[in-house]
C-alpha cells in the first residue's frame, strides 16, 4: 500500500503557517500536525516537572512519555490536553514559544519526537506544520512549501493575534523576540530552519490568508492529483 500523502509546510514564526495549514487540511479533509505544539508541550511539561531548560535527557523522557491530545471544545475551537490537563492557552504565550525554541535545540528531544510526528501521517493524508517537516520528518512529502513573510509583517500579525486574545504585548518587544527566535532557529546545529531543496517558496507578505490558501491548494491539487 502506498503511504498517505503529506503536504509539508515550513517557515518562521508569524509566517501564517498555522492558519494556512489548518485551512488547507480542512479543505482537503486531511489530518493536521502542529509540530510546534509538541515542542511547546515538551517545554511546558519540563517546567511543570521543574526541569532546567537545558536538561536534555529529562526533556527527552517527557517528550516520549507525555500524554497529548489534540481536539476541539464545544464551539469547535482548538483544545489541547497535556497529561489530562487543558493547556491550550498556556502553550500559546510568547514565553512558552521561547521555552519551546530552547528545548527544540536539544538533539535528544528532537529525536524523541520523530516517531510521534510520523504517526500523524494516516489516510486520507496529512498537512504538517513546522520548521523541519520537509527536511527531516517527511523528506518524501508529495508537496513541500516554505512559507515566509517579512520580519515586520510577522511581528505585526503576531501582535494582532495576541491582542485579539486579550493579551497585552508591545510591538517592539515582539519584533525583538521574533528576531531572536528566528536567529536561534536558523543558526542551531540541529534541524535548522531552512527550506528543503525541493520546496516551493511562498512569500506571504502583502497576501491575504485566502490568497495563500488558494495558492497552496492549487499546488496540492497539481501534485496530489495531477
Ligand atoms: O511553530 P511554533 O511557534 O509553535 O514553534 C515553537 C518553537 O518550536 C519554534 O520557535 C521552534 O524553535 C520549535 N520548532 C522546531 N521544529 C518544529 C516546530 C517547532 O524546532 N518542527
Amino acid at each position: 500500500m502506498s503511504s498517505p500523502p503529506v503536504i509539508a509546510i515550513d517557515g518562521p514564526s508569524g509566517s501564517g503557517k498555522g492558519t494556512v495549514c489548518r485551512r488547507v487540511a480542512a479543505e482537503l479533509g486531511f489530518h493536521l500536525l502542529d509540530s510546534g505544539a509538541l515542542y511547546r508541550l515538551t517545554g511546558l511539561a519540563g517546567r511543570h516537572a521543574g526541569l532546567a531548560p537545558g536538561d536534555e535527557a529529562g526533556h527527552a523522557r517527557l517528550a516520549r512519555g507525555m500524554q497529548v491530545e489534540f481536539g476541539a471544545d464545544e464551539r469547535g475551537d482548538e483544545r489541547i490536553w497535556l497529561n489530562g490537563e487543558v493547556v491550550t492557552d498556556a502553550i500559546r504565550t510568547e514565553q512558552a514559544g521561547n521555552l519551546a525554541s530552547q528545548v527544540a535545540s536539544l538533539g535528544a528531544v528532537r529525536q524523541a519526537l520523530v516517531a510521534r510526528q510520523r504517526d500523524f501521517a494516516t489516510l486520507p493524508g496529512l498537512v504538517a506544520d513546522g520548521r523541519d517537516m520537509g527536511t527531516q520528518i517527511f523528506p518524501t512529502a508529495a508537496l513541500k512549501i516554505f512559507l515566509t513573510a517579512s520580519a515586520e509583517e510577522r511581528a505585526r500579525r503576531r501582535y494582532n493575534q495576541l491582542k485579539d486574545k486579550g493579551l497585552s504585548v508591545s510591538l517592539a518587544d515582539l519584533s525583538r523576540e521574533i528576531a531572536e527566535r528566528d536567529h536561534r532557529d536558523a543558526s542551531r546545529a540541529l534541524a535548522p530552519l531552512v527550506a528543503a531543496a525541493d520546496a516551493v517558496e511562498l512569500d506571504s507578505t502583502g497576501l491575504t490568508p485566502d490568497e495563500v490558501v488558494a495558492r497552496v491548494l492549487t499546488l496540492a491539487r497539481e501534485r496530489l492529483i495531477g
Side-chain angles (χ1 to χ4, degrees):
M1 208 185 81
S2 63
S3 49
V6 174
I7 299 176
I9 305 188
D10 292 302
S13 359
S15 58
K17 276 179 310 148
T19 310
V20 169
C21 287
R22 204 171 327 109
R23 289 185 44 190
V24 169
E27 283 285 335
L28 298 173
F30 279 16
H31 301 286
L32 176 68
L33 163 61
D34 176 356
S35 62
L38 293 176
Y39 288 96
R40 287 169 183 264
L41 287 159
T42 305
L44 190 67
R47 204 173 60 195
H48 284 174
L51 300 185
D55 181 342
E56 183 162 4
H59 280 96
R61 195 169 359 92
L62 292 175
R64 247 189 313 273
M66 65 185 176
Q67 229 184 64
V68 175
E69 203 184 318
F70 292 94
D73 64 14
E74 315 71 45
R75 291 176 28 221
D77 290 336
E78 169 183 67
R79 187 173 276 183
I80 300 174
W81 288 262
L82 171 62
N83 300 325
E85 186 194 339
V86 175
V87 294
T88 326
D89 293 336
I91 64 158
R92 294 298 171 204
T93 63
E94 286 307 293
Q95 204 191 12
N98 287 321
L99 194 57
S101 148
Q102 290 176 51
V103 303
S105 66
L106 306 172
V109 169
R110 302 200 72 84
Q111 197 50 43
L113 289 175
V114 170
R116 213 182 247 270
Q117 294 174 85
R118 291 188 178 149
D119 283 348
F120 278 79
T122 55
L123 289 169
L126 177 71
V127 177
D129 168 349
R131 303 290 190 292
D132 61 344
M133 298 297 98
T135 51
Q136 310 281 334
I137 307 297
F138 301 110
T140 61
L143 172 62
K144 301 178 185 178
I145 307 263
F146 195 75
L147 192 61
T148 57
S150 69
E152 301 75 48
E153 171 125 353
R154 290 187 286 121
R156 210 173 320 112
R157 287 179 189 168
R158 201 67 156 194
Y159 176 76
N160 289 332
Q161 262 177 6
L162 294 171
K163 218 171 59 177
D164 285 350
K165 288 189 185 160
L167 298 168
S168 104
V169 281
S170 104
L171 184 58
D173 285 352
L174 263 184
S175 301
R176 192 177 26 80
E177 279 174 17
I178 285 190
E180 278 170 17
R181 184 125 65 98
D182 277 0
H183 178 71
R184 191 161 51 219
D185 288 350
S187 62
R188 70 182 174 211
L190 289 164
L193 174 65
V194 286
D198 51 351
V200 178
E201 294 209 27
L202 195 53
D203 184 345
S204 72
T205 311
L207 296 181
T208 64
D210 280 353
E211 289 168 325
V212 180
V213 169
R215 288 194 196 186
V216 174
L217 284 174
T218 303
L219 289 165
R221 292 188 172 120
E222 281 168 15
R223 295 286 174 93
L224 304 184
I225 303 163

